[in-house]
Amino acid sequence: MEASPIKKYAAETLGTFVLTLFGCGSAAIAGATLGTLGIAMAFGLSIIAMAFVIGNISGCHINPAVSLGLFLDKRLSAKDLVGYWIGQFVGGIVAAAVLALIISMCDLGGVLVTGLGCDGYGAASAVGISVVGAVIVEIILTCIFVLAVLGSTADERTAPFAGIIIGLTLTFVHIMGIPLTGTSVNPARSFGPALMMAFNGDMTALSQVWVFIVGPLLGAAIAAGIWMAFKQKKAA
């Protein structure tokens, strides 16, 4: 029996909350200790965990770009797309607020010192990537990630392992992307921390967050186009 829309949207809120809290939290609190690989694994393992918790309820998109890709592939209705997006952004914002609260209760110097795992370009990038470079990176990384989602969930032979496949894919795109942009590939995961940083007086992430909304959504649209072209060729 299919879950009700409210349950689906609530599941997406919970899943995005977990992804943002543990992924961004690992970067903000223990990034210096974990390094790129450790942070990448935190994001990937969050996806795997949530796939087994909410996968049978909402499909465990927990990412507006993934939802867009599935909508364009006609696996998600326009109504559910909007509901998923609302749930995902709410989850990301609440997670960032909780993370900010946790940091404020620690001897870490506060949110402005630790950050909240925000994405960025220019001075906010570890390698000083330009805004154009950041957009290109986010398009490419998201395209690859969404292709993995579309492919692994389309075939009944791979669907049982989709959560693991998707989690590992998210891990490897983070390994490359973290030094470049911090790796978004997920507008909700980027917007929540950027908004909370603005509330704490640093507007940098919020002023740059459009890159991490536009880039991932464009990457998802391209992935959907590639996937549909592959399906047509296979059918022919």
Side-chain angles (χ1 to χ4, degrees):
M1 182 177 179
E2 185 176 359
S4 68
I6 296 300
K7 284 185 178 180
K8 290 180 181 179
Y9 308 155
E12 287 297 305
T13 302
L14 172 62
T16 311
F17 172 87
V18 171
L19 174 72
T20 305
L21 179 62
F22 285 86
C24 293
S26 296
I29 297 170
T33 302
L34 292 174
T36 295
L37 182 58
I39 298 169
M41 288 183 65
F43 278 101
L45 291 172
S46 297
I47 285 279
I48 294 173
M50 286 298 98
F52 287 95
V53 175
I54 64 170
N56 63 339
I57 300 172
S58 67
C60 190
H61 299 186
I62 59 178
N63 181 336
V66 169
S67 295
L68 177 62
L70 289 166
F71 167 73
L72 294 174
D73 196 37
K74 299 182 179 178
R75 295 193 232 168
L76 189 72
S77 69
K79 177 183 176 181
D80 279 345
L81 176 65
V82 173
Y84 275 43
W85 277 1
I86 292 172
Q88 290 156 358
F89 276 99
V90 168
I93 292 169
V94 173
V98 170
L99 178 57
L101 177 63
I102 292 171
I103 290 173
S104 73
M105 295 186 288
C106 300
D107 186 18
L108 294 171
V111 169
L112 296 181
V113 172
T114 62
L116 291 172
C118 293
D119 303 300
Y121 57 84
S125 161
V127 296
I129 194 169
S130 68
V131 59
V132 174
V135 172
I136 292 172
V137 164
E138 288 296 326
I139 288 173
I140 293 171
L141 296 185
T142 309
C143 180
I144 293 168
F145 177 61
V146 174
L147 275 173
V149 174
L150 293 171
S152 63
T153 57
D155 192 317
E156 61 181 14
R157 293 171 297 180
T158 56
F161 312 104
I164 297 172
I165 295 167
I166 295 166
L168 291 175
T169 304
L170 187 63
T171 299
F172 84 65
V173 300
H174 270 79
I175 291 172
M176 176 180 174
I178 285 173
L180 296 169
T181 64
T183 311
S184 172
V185 304
N186 184 335
R189 159 265 183 274
S190 294
F191 183 77
L195 184 63
M196 287 303 114
M197 286 298 290
F199 282 162
N200 283 274
D202 187 344
M203 296 296 296
T204 302
L206 191 61
S207 70
Q208 295 185 356
V209 77
W210 67 270
V211 168
F212 307 105
I213 295 175
V214 173
L217 293 180
L218 284 174
I222 293 169
I226 293 171
W227 176 248
M228 287 186 283
F230 281 168
K231 287 198 304 182
Q232 290 174 356
K233 184 175 181 180
K234 183 178 179 181

